[in-house]
Amino acid sequence: MDLEEFLSENGIPPSPSQHDHSPHPPGLQPAPSAAPSVMDLSSRASAPIHPGIPSPNCLQSPIRPGQLLPANRNTPSPIDPDTIQVPVGYEPDPADLALSSIPGQEMFDPRKRKFSEEELKPQPMIKKARKVFIPDDLKQDDKYWARRRKNNMAAKRSRDARRLKENQIAIRASFLEKENSALRQEVADLRKELGKCKNILAKYEARHGPL
């Protein structure tokens, strides 16, 4: 008996190799292939439809040297030095502030008050004028006493104004001493940090070349 007849009588299909190479019966259609996976769909979507047209991601050209950078990457605007607040632990004596403030006006603030170069110039020593002897008969005149009172008031105002400015300069100088000490410490810390950054940059350039 032939092998193929034996297999057909017992309902055994022929060998896989023969089944694969045999053509399909005329009335049967081949089974549809499995649906493509999600990964296949995503890869097909990302691939260009036409081989001659690049994908949209490739159309994004890098920033050229003459092209403007985004706003958040531009150089920051310069800072006004007068707006910088230095943390200084300085609390003047309220009594000294009272002596440095004009009565009825705002309290003197050594952090904001600035003096011009003309105000800080040393003042020459003024010799006291010699006293002029006035006879007693002239002291009975009302004009003499009126002029005397007027001169005394002017001298007192001048002394008070000079003393007020001296007190203000003294408190301002005390505050500037504290601020100068704090700024020196901050400069020392910044120089130390800058030295570390320079060392890191030098090691990077030695290994990978200059930037």
Side-chain angles (χ1 to χ4, degrees), residues 36-48:
S37 62
V38 177
M39 295 181 62
D40 296 337
L41 294 176
S42 61
S43 62
R44 292 179 185 177
S46 60

Side-chain angles (χ1 to χ4, degrees), residues 56-208:
N57 296 331
C58 299
L59 295 177
Q60 298 178 358
S61 60
I63 298 176
R64 290 185 288 271
Q67 188 174 358
L68 295 177
L69 295 175
N72 56 356
R73 296 189 59 184
N74 289 337
T75 304
S77 58
I79 301 175
D80 186 6
D82 294 334
T83 61
I84 299 176
Q85 296 293 334
V86 181
V88 180
Y90 176 72
E91 293 296 336
D93 190 0
D96 295 339
L97 290 179
L99 293 175
S100 304
S101 303
I102 301 176
Q105 295 187 10
E106 187 179 358
M107 188 68 69
F108 174 73
D109 189 358
R111 296 174 177 82
K112 298 180 180 179
R113 179 68 166 88
K114 295 181 180 181
F115 296 93
S116 62
E117 295 182 2
E118 188 68 25
E119 292 177 315
L120 296 177
K121 282 185 177 181
Q123 299 296 327
M125 296 295 295
I126 300 177
K127 294 182 179 181
K128 195 173 183 179
R130 296 178 57 183
K131 291 185 177 181
V132 179
F133 178 74
I134 303 296
D136 294 338
D137 55 348
L138 296 178
K139 294 181 181 180
Q140 303 298 328
D141 189 2
D142 293 338
K143 294 182 180 180
Y144 167 80
W145 292 109
R147 187 170 59 253
R148 180 81 177 267
R149 285 191 298 269
K150 185 177 181 180
N151 291 340
N152 291 341
M153 292 177 61
K156 185 178 183 303
R157 285 196 300 268
S158 178
R159 289 192 302 268
D160 293 344
R162 185 179 68 252
R163 190 178 299 110
L164 178 68
K165 182 175 292 186
E166 290 174 354
N167 294 340
Q168 290 179 352
I169 292 175
I171 295 180
R172 173 71 173 172
S174 179
F175 166 73
L176 291 178
E177 288 288 341
K178 297 286 186 180
E179 187 181 44
N180 185 45
S181 178
L183 288 174
R184 286 182 177 275
Q185 182 63 38
E186 186 175 352
V187 169
D189 296 339
L190 290 176
R191 286 183 177 180
K192 184 177 180 180
E193 185 177 356
L194 179 60
K196 292 181 180 179
C197 295
K198 286 184 177 180
N199 292 336
I200 295 173
L201 180 60
K203 292 179 181 179
Y204 178 86
E205 291 183 345
R207 179 176 299 182
H208 304 284

